[in-house]
Amino acid sequence: MAKEQLVFQIDEKAAFKLDKAILGGKGYNLMVMKRLGLPVPIAFVVTTEACRRYLKDGRKFFKTLEKEIIENIKQLEKKTGRKFGTNDDPLLVSVRSGAPISMPGMMDTVLNLGLNNKNTESLKKVTKDGRFAYDCYRRFINMFGDVALEVKGEGENTFDGIVNQARKKAKVKTDAELTETDWQNVCYEFETLIKKESGIYVPQDPVKQLLLSIEAVFKSWNNQRAKTYRKLNGIDDSMGTAVVVQQMVFGNRDGNSASGVAFTRDPGNGEKRVFGEFLVKAQGEDVVAGIRTPLELAQMKEVYKKDSKEFKEDKKKYQKYNEAFKKNLQKFLSICNKLEKNYREMQDIEFTIESGTFYILQTRRGQRTAQAAVKIAMDMYKEKLTNRNESILMVDPASLDQLLHPIIDPKVKYKDRIITKGMPASPGAAVGIIVFDPDRVVKAVKDNSKAQVILVSDETKPDDIHGMSAAKGILTSRGGKTAHAAVVARGMGKPCIVACSSLQIDFKNRKVKVNGGEYKEGDWITIEGSLGEVIKGKLPLIMPKITGDFKTLLKWSDDICKANNGLYVRANADTPKDSRKAREMGARGIGLSRTEHMFMGERTELVAELILLITKPTELDKDEKKRKSSILKELLKLQYNDFIGIFKAMNGLPVTIRLIDPPLHEFLPEEEEIKERIEKAHHQPGGREAIKHLQSMRKRRGEFHEENPMLGLRGCRLGIRYPEINRMQIEAIFKAAVKVKNSGYKVHPEIMIPLSSTVAELEILHNMVDEIADEVFNKTGTKVSYLFGTMIEIPRAALVADELAIEAQFFSFGTNDLTQMGFGISRDDAEEKFLRYYVDKKILKENPFEKLDQKGIGKLMEIAIERGTSTRPDLKLGICGEHGGEPSSVEYCHTIGLEYVSCNPYRVPIARVAAAHAALKMKRKPPKSAKKKSAAKVKSTVAKKVKSKVKKVSPKKKAKK
Amino acid sequence: MAKEQLVFQIDEKAAFKLDKAILGGKGYNLMVMKRLGLPVPIAFVVTTEACRRYLKDGRKFFKTLEKEIIENIKQLEKKTGRKFGTNDDPLLVSVRSGAPISMPGMMDTVLNLGLNNKNTESLKKVTKDGRFAYDCYRRFINMFGDVALEVKGEGENTFDGIVNQARKKAKVKTDAELTETDWQNVCYEFETLIKKESGIYVPQDPVKQLLLSIEAVFKSWNNQRAKTYRKLNGIDDSMGTAVVVQQMVFGNRDGNSASGVAFTRDPGNGEKRVFGEFLVKAQGEDVVAGIRTPLELAQMKEVYKKDSKEFKEDKKKYQKYNEAFKKNLQKFLSICNKLEKNYREMQDIEFTIESGTFYILQTRRGQRTAQAAVKIAMDMYKEKLTNRNESILMVDPASLDQLLHPIIDPKVKYKDRIITKGMPASPGAAVGIIVFDPDRVVKAVKDNSKAQVILVSDETKPDDIHGMSAAKGILTSRGGKTAHAAVVARGMGKPCIVACSSLQIDFKNRKVKVNGGEYKEGDWITIEGSLGEVIKGKLPLIMPKITGDFKTLLKWSDDICKANNGLYVRANADTPKDSRKAREMGARGIGLSRTEHMFMGERTELVAELILLITKPTELDKDEKKRKSSILKELLKLQYNDFIGIFKAMNGLPVTIRLIDPPLHEFLPEEEEIKERIEKAHHQPGGREAIKHLQSMRKRRGEFHEENPMLGLRGCRLGIRYPEINRMQIEAIFKAAVKVKNSGYKVHPEIMIPLSSTVAELEILHNMVDEIADEVFNKTGTKVSYLFGTMIEIPRAALVADELAIEAQFFSFGTNDLTQMGFGISRDDAEEKFLRYYVDKKILKENPFEKLDQKGIGKLMEIAIERGTSTRPDLKLGICGEHGGEPSSVEYCHTIGLEYVSCNPYRVPIARVAAAHAALKMKRKPPKSAKKKSAAKVKSTVAKKVKSKVKKVSPKKKAKK
C-alpha cells in the first residue's frame, strides 16, 4: 500500500480491505462482523500505522492525524445521525486500544466520551434518567482521568476513594443505591482531583477529549508494563497499537432496551441450542454482576407479561416493545447461525438493544467444559460446519484432563462439607479412609484388597512410594505442585492435594486437627484434586471412560499425526500394571521405565544391604561376597519378572528402560528411622548384631551425604563408580527380553543411560551393555535387537551432543533435570522459596517445571538436536520429562523435530491431541529415525559418518579384555 | 604433491622437504637435526600418507609399500655399512610410531629389530659380551611380541612373569644380576609364549620382523585407547601415524662407548653452562636408573685416570679412548651451542657414543624450575638469541606460582622432620603454632599482632573466614582441592594442605594425634603447601619478591597485551588489604569484590539478627522495625568504610562489586552451635530471652533449609525476594564512591548482579540501583559514573544473553557456578564422590573446576558472548571464576574475546604472563568495549539497538512509582 492508511471507517465499503496488523485485533473483529452484515455500532479505527508514525515523529505528526480524525468524526456523526458535543442527545463514543496481539498493561478503555457538564443534562433529559446521566458522566471522567491523564491520587483521594466516601456519606452499601445528586457530587470531586494532579481541567470539548485519549493510547504502547509484557511474550516492539472509536449504545436507555450475553451452544455439555441471558433496561455489566437475576433468552418472546405492572400501565407501548423484542430474538437466533457458519466455532456473544435497535457488541470463541468441547467439535463435523482437522483444533488438549479422572457426581451438592482447601496437585477425586503412614496404607490394602485409603502426611519421600501406590489419593500439608508427592501422584494418575497448611497432623496419636475439627485415622474423606478441596465423608464418584466422541477424537488425532509426520506418544511406566494402563490410554511404547522404582517398597531393605556391600571401602570377606552375590541374584529375579510383565504388556512396541538413577542414599533409611530402629533393637534378643548393622548403615548414609545431591553421585556416575547394580539390571533386561521373545512376543528394548555428560561415560556403559547382551544371547541362543541411548539432562550433554551421538542411538530429553540445572533451580525447594513469588510477580511467565522454558531450556534442546544429528542423522529423539504431557511443550517438541513425547499414562490422551494440534499447525519433515517402518527396527543403521569415527572392536575381542 | 611420498630417507639431500603432517613428530625432529648437520643415527620414515592409504586399502596396498620399504632398507645398509640379517655384526634398527601429534595409547617402540637366533651369537662375538647380546635379543622378542603380535599372556605366563621367575630361579633381585645363560633361557620361554598365544613363531627374517612391526603400528592407530585419546583431545581421526625406522647405536658396546644426558643450561637456576652426566659403557636408561653413579660432563676430558686399572692394563688403548672422549666433549659443546641457536631454547639432549662415534639421539626443550625459566628467558634475550616475544613464550605461566609464595629456605634439610603429608591445596610455606579453632586464632593475633598461627581443623566453613584470615596457613584433615578451605586459602594466598587424613584431632583436649606422635595447641609446625608436607617445628622461610628478571618479564607481558589487544588482568579482592595486595601484584582493577565476605567474622551476629527480621513471615512490630533499621544503619556504616578503603586502594581503576550472593542460612550459626548456645544460656541470668531468640533462629534456619542450596534462594533471587540487604549495599557503595571522589580520587564502581537468569530480574535490580544512586547523588550534589552488569553463571543466562544485555552493560563469567550447573557437578561434593575417580580413569581429562571445560562450559560462554554482543556491541566481557588465574583458561578467554580476566591477587602475575602468551599466539581484534581510553568510562554508550528496545523511563518518573 503506497499511501498510509491512518484512519479507517468500519463500513460495508471498507470491509475486506485491511488486516489485523493495521487494524489491531478489536478493529479487525469489527470489520469482520460488518462484513457478515451484523448490526455493530458504528465505528472507525485509528490504525497501527498512525501509531508507529506518532511514536517516530511525535506531536508534529499528530497535527496531521488530527485533521483526519476530525474528518472521520464527521462521518460518524452522519451515520449515527447524532452530533458530537451537542447539547441535544449527543453522540457518545468509546475509545479502546487494540493492538494486533491482545496485550494487557496498555491504556485500555474510555467509555462515554463526548459528555461534558452541559450535555450530561441533555442526556438526562433525553433518557429521563438523571441518575443514569451522571453515572455515565462520572464513569467517563474516571476513565479519562485515569488512562488519558494518568491521574492516580493517593490515600482517600483516588477515584475509588471518592466513591467510597460518597457511599459512606449516603450510608449505603452499593453504588446502585447512590442517587443522581450523589453522582453529581462525585463528578465534581473527580474533576477537582484531576485538576490538582494533572494541572488541567477535564476538557469540555469532546474533540479535545478524543484527541487526548488517542494520544494516550499511543503513548501507553511504551509504558513499562506493556514493554515488560512484550518482552516476556516475545511480541515485536515495533508493531504499535490501533485505536477503536465507536458509537456508545445503551441497553439501559429505556424499557425497549436490554443487554445480554449468549452462547451459541450449551457451554456445559455442548448441546446444540442457543444458551443465553439478558436484562431489560440494563447495561452489559449488570448481566454479569448478578445483582438482578437475568432472564433466559427464550423469555424474550414475551418480555412484558400481560399481567405485569408495566403492561397494565401502558398496554400499547409495551405491546410494541414486546413485538420489538420478539423480532429481535428472531434476528439474534439467525445471527447466531450466521456467526457459527462464519467462525465455525461456538460463539460467546454480547449484545445490546437500544430503544429497539439490536446491536452485536462482541463475539468471540466461547469457553466450555471439556465434555462440551468434544461434543461440539464432533457435532460441528457432523453438521458439516467443520472438517476433521478443524474439529480437532477446536478442543483444547489441556482441558481433556477433566475427562480422564474420577469426578464427584455433579448432582451432589457438597460445598458445605468442605473441611479445608490445599493446592491442587494432581487432578481427579478420590474417596477413602485417612491413614497417616505409608506402611499402614499398604497393610490396610493387604488386609482387605478393596480397602480405600487416602494417605495423609506432611510430605512424601521416595521410599513412601509403596504407600502412595496402595492409596487412592494423597493429601499433604507441605510442598508445592512440583514436590515429590505431586510429581509421583501425577505419574500414578492419583488425585493429590499439597500445601494444605491448615492440617496439623499428630502422627503419634494418629489424628489431624484442621480448622477446629479433628479427624482420626480411619475416618472417611473425599479429596478433589483438581480444585484442592478436602471434603468430609464419602461422596459418590463417576469414573472416566474413553468412549464415544472422545474416542473418535483420539483416533482422528493419531491419524493426523501419522499422516503429517507428527509426534507419537509414549508413556512413562515402571510396572506391568502401569504399562497396561499406558496401552489402554493409547501409548505407542514406553519412553521411560525407571528401574529404581522397582526397588521401592519391600525391596528397599535388600537394596540397602546391597549398597552397604558394593560400596564397602575395604575388600569384601568371603561371607560378604556370598551375601552380595545372593542379593544380586534375588534382585535380578525380581527385576527379570518386572521386565517380563512390561515387555508382554508392550508387545510389539518399544520400551525404553533407564538404568538406576537416584543417589544411593535414597535407598537407605532416613537418619530418624535408623535411630528408632536402633532404639527398638536394644530391647530385642540378638539385637547387638542388628545394632551393629544399623550403625554401619548410618555411617554409610553419612558418607553418602552431599550438599547438592542433584548435582552429585547419581545416574551413570553411579553406574560407572559402582557397576554391580547396572550389570544386574542389564542382565535382567536381556534375559527377560529373550524369554518374552521366545514366547512369541515382539520385544524392542531400548537401554537408556541417565545423567551422562561425556562420551567416555557412554563408551564405558555401551561396552558393558553390549558385553552382557552378547553373553545372554550366546547362552540362550536367542538374539534380541536393541538400542543404546542416553538421557539429555545435563546442559553440557546438549553442548557435546555431537560426541554423545557417537555412542548413543537415541536421545531422550530429561527436561526436569535439564530445567533444574539449566535454570539453576532446585525443583524440590524453589516453589516455596522464590518460584511462586517469581510467577506471581511476573518475573517468570510460567513455572518452568510446568511449561517448558522454550527460550532457555528449549535452546539447549535445539543445540543438542543440531549437534547430535550432525554426527548421526538418524538419531532417534524423544522427551520423557514431565513436559512431555503438557500441550504447549508438546507443540514445541513437534517444532524442534522430536519423534515422540513420553508422559505419564494419564496424560497420554492429552498428548495425543496436542500432537495432532502441532501437526496441523506446523508441517514438518519426518524425523530421519522415524522413516523406517517400525521405530524399534532402527537399530544399528549407524550412519557412515559414525562408522568412520568409531570402528567398534568386535564383541569377542572386547570380552577378552 | 602429486606423487605419494610413502617412504622417506632422512639424509642431507632430503632435508627441508617435508612437514610434520607427513613425517610425524619424531621423523620431523630427526629431519631437523639432520638439517643442522648433527650426527644422528641413520633412519628412514614410513609416512603418514602410507598409513592413511593402508587404513583405507588394507593389505592390498601394503604389498606395494613392502617394495618401497625393502628398497629403503638397502639404502640404510649402504649408509651404515652393515647388513640386515647378516650373521656378522648385523644392522639393528628401532621401529617407533610417530604421529603428527604425540599420542599415548598407540603401539610405541620395538628396539633391536634385526636380531634372530643366529646373529645374536654373532653380536656376542663382535661385542665380546654374550650377556649383552642375549639381553638385547630378549628385549626385542618382548617388544615385538607385545606390540606387533599383541601377545599379553596371563598370570605368570607373561613377559614380565617369565623374567620374574628367572630372577627367582637365579635367586637374584635385579635383572642386572642375571647371566647370559639366564637371558638365553628367557629368550626361549618368550618365544614359546608367543607361539602359544599368537600361533606363529617369531620370524627369523629381519625384513619380515620389520614389515610386521610397521603394519602393527598402522593398526594401532585405531585401537581403543588411541581412539579415546583422540576423542578426548580433539585430534583428527584421519591423520594417521608415521613410522620411524632407525639404526640402533649402543653406548655399552665397548670402553670407547658411553651414554649421557645434558641440559644446555642449569635447569635449577638457569645459569649458562652445559650441565650433564654420562656413563661409560652403558645404555641411556642406565644413566637415568641410578644404579651406577654417573659422571659429570666435565669429566669427559679425562675418562680413564692415569692411575686407573684399565689405563694401567692397556695404556695405549685407553689413551686413545681418552682422546676420543675429549674430542667428543668438544664436539658436543659446540653442538649444544648450535642447538640453542637453532631452537632458541634451553635443550635437554640424549647422546650416545658408540666405539668413539658420537650420536645425538634426541634433543628437546629442557624442563626447568620457574627461577631458571625466568633467568634463561632474560639471558637469551640479552644474548640476542631471542626477541622479547620469544622470551616471554619461554616461561610457563603456571610455573610462576613457585615464585609468588614463601618457600622453606632450600639450604635447610628437613625431610626427616616431616610428620605427615596431605593434599597440596594452596602453595607456599607457613610457620606457626597449632590452633584448632578459628575464634582462638583471631584471639591469639589480637593478643599479639605478631603471633604466627596455623589453623588446624577437620574442614572449614564460610563463618571460619575470620580465623583463616588471621592464620598464616591452614591444615585440614578432610576435603579436596576444591573444598572450602582450599578455595578460600588460595584466594587469600595462604598455604593450605587438605585431606590430611592421618590427623586425628581431639578438639576438646586441644591436641592432635598423627602417625603415633601427639601435638598440642601451641606447638610449632611448618607446612609446605606446594608439596603437602607437614613438618615439626619452626623452619626458616624465604619471602617472595617480584624483582629483577621477574619484574621485567611482567612488564613486558603487560606491554605485549596492550600492544596486541590482549587481555588485562584484574583481581578478586574483598577488603582494602586484598585490594592493595592486588595492586602490588599488578592488577588493573578489581573484577570481583564479594560484599558478603564483609559480613563474616564479628559481623555475622548482626547479619544473623537482621535476617530474622527481614524474613519474618508476619509484620514487624514497632521495636523490631526500630531494631531492623538500626542494624541496617550499622551495617551500612561498616560496608561504607570497607568500600572507601577499596576505592582508595584502587584509585583510577574499575572496581566490580557483587551484591550479596550466598544463601541466607550461611550467615546463621550451625544447628550444632545453636544447640550449644542454648545449653549455655540455660545457666545464665536472663537466659530465657536468649533462648527464645536462639530457638527462633533455629526455626528460621530450618525454614531456609534447601535440598540443593546451589540451585536455590541465593544471588539476585535473594536480592529480589528480600531487598533490604541489597538496598543497604547499594547505598553504601554510592555514598563511599561520592566521598572518595570528593577527596580527589578517581572511582569507577561497577555493580554486579549474581545468579541472574532472566532479564526481568535485571530490570528490577537495575531500577533499584539507578534509583538509590540518584538519591545519593541528589543528596550529595556529586555524581559518580558507574556500570551495571551481571554474572553469567547459570546456563540459561548464557542462552538468553541477548535479553540480559538489554539491562547489563557488562557480563562477568562466574565459571565456578557455570561449571557446577552446566556440568551438573557439585563442587563441594564431587571430588571424593566421583570426580577424582573420573580424572584417574581418564573419563575426564581434567578436573573442570581447575581447568575450564572449553568444550562444554566454554561453549556456553561463546553463546553468551555472541548473543550478548548482538544486543550490545560494546558489552564489556570478563571472567571472575577461579579459572581466571589458570593459564590454559586465560588463553581460552583471550580466544573468545574477553576484555579482562580476574583472579585472586596471588595469581595475577601468572595471569599477566598467560595473557601475554595468548596475545602472542593469537592475534585478535580489540573487544569493542575496550576501545575507549579507560575501561571504566564505557558507561551508558548503549548501542542504538538497545535504545530502540528499551526506552528507559526517566529516573524521576521511576522514583514516583
Side-chain angles (χ1 to χ4, degrees), chain B residues 42 55 284 329 340-341 409 414 584 695 847 915:
Chain B
I42 290 159
L55 293 175
L329 176 60
E340 273 207 347
K341 252 185 206 147
D409 186 340
Y414 67 83
E584 184 192 322
Q695 276 167 342
N847 180 330

Side-chain angles (χ1 to χ4, degrees), chain B residues 10 30 34 38-43 246-249 359-361:
Chain B
I10 302 290
L30 270 179
K34 196 78 201 169
L38 302 186
V40 291
I42 290 159
Q246 187 172 32
Q247 167 199 14
M248 292 288 305
V249 293
Y359 294 101
I360 297 280
L361 300 185

Side-chain angles (χ1 to χ4, degrees), chain A residues 55 150 222 224 227-228 231-232 237 702-714 716-718 720-722 755 757-761 763-764 767 794-797 799-800 803 806-807 820-830 832-834 837-838 842-844 853 855-857 859-860 863 867 948-953 957 961, chain B residues 55 150 222 224 227-228 231-232 237 702-714 716-718 720-722 755 757-761 763-764 767 794-797 799-800 803 806-807 820-830 832-834 837-838 842-844 853 855-857 859-860 863 867 948-953 957 961:
Chain A
L55 294 174
E150 289 190 63
N222 273 333
Q224 204 54 44
K227 283 197 306 186
T228 305
K231 211 183 300 171
L232 283 173
D237 263 325
E703 286 162 6
F704 280 125
H705 170 80
E706 289 174 307
E707 284 301 316
N708 297 287
M710 187 55 53
L711 310 174
L713 178 59
R714 63 188 195 97
C716 70
R717 296 166 182 174
L718 203 61
I720 287 171
R721 191 78 186 76
Y722 305 111
L755 213 78
S757 57
T758 69
V759 66
E761 292 168 324
E763 195 175 352
I764 289 168
N767 285 342
I794 289 183
R796 187 182 198 267
L799 299 162
V800 300
E803 294 187 1
I806 296 173
E807 296 292 337
Q820 293 203 89
M821 296 181 209
F823 223 130
I825 299 177
S826 170
R827 193 174 61 167
D828 289 338
D829 302 312
E832 274 179 65
K833 294 287 190 316
F834 66 90
Y837 181 87
Y838 265 38
K842 305 272 181 237
I843 297 171
L844 287 177
D853 162 41
K855 230 181 221 177
I857 306 310
K859 278 291 157 294
L860 279 176
I863 291 170
R867 299 197 178 170
S948 79
K949 277 197 186 177
V950 274
K951 261 193 190 164
K952 279 267 159 227
V953 184
K957 210 162 178 185
K961 269 189 220 161
Chain B
L55 293 175
E150 288 191 65
N222 273 332
Q224 203 55 42
K227 282 196 305 185
T228 304
K231 211 181 302 170
L232 282 174
D237 263 324
E703 285 163 6
F704 280 126
H705 171 79
E706 289 174 307
E707 284 301 315
N708 299 285
M710 186 55 54
L711 309 175
L713 178 59
R714 62 188 195 96
C716 69
R717 295 165 185 177
L718 204 58
I720 287 171
R721 193 76 186 75
Y722 305 112
L755 214 78
S757 57
T758 69
V759 68
E761 291 168 325
E763 196 176 351
I764 290 169
N767 284 343
I794 289 184
R796 187 183 197 267
L799 299 162
V800 300
E803 294 188 359
I806 295 174
E807 295 293 335
Q820 293 202 89
M821 296 180 209
F823 223 130
I825 299 178
S826 169
R827 193 174 63 168
D828 288 339
D829 302 314
E832 273 178 65
K833 294 286 192 311
F834 67 90
Y837 180 88
Y838 264 37
K842 305 271 178 240
I843 296 171
L844 288 177
D853 162 40
K855 231 182 221 175
I857 306 310
K859 278 292 155 296
L860 279 176
I863 290 170
R867 300 196 178 171
S948 79
K949 277 198 185 177
V950 273
K951 261 195 192 161
K952 279 266 159 229
V953 184
K957 208 161 178 186
K961 274 190 221 160

Side-chain angles (χ1 to χ4, degrees), chain A residues 431-447:
Chain A
V431 171
I433 56 167
I434 297 174
V435 172
F436 296 109
D437 179 277
D439 290 336
R440 283 200 303 278
V441 175
V442 172
K443 193 174 171 302
V445 177
K446 237 184 200 163
D447 293 350

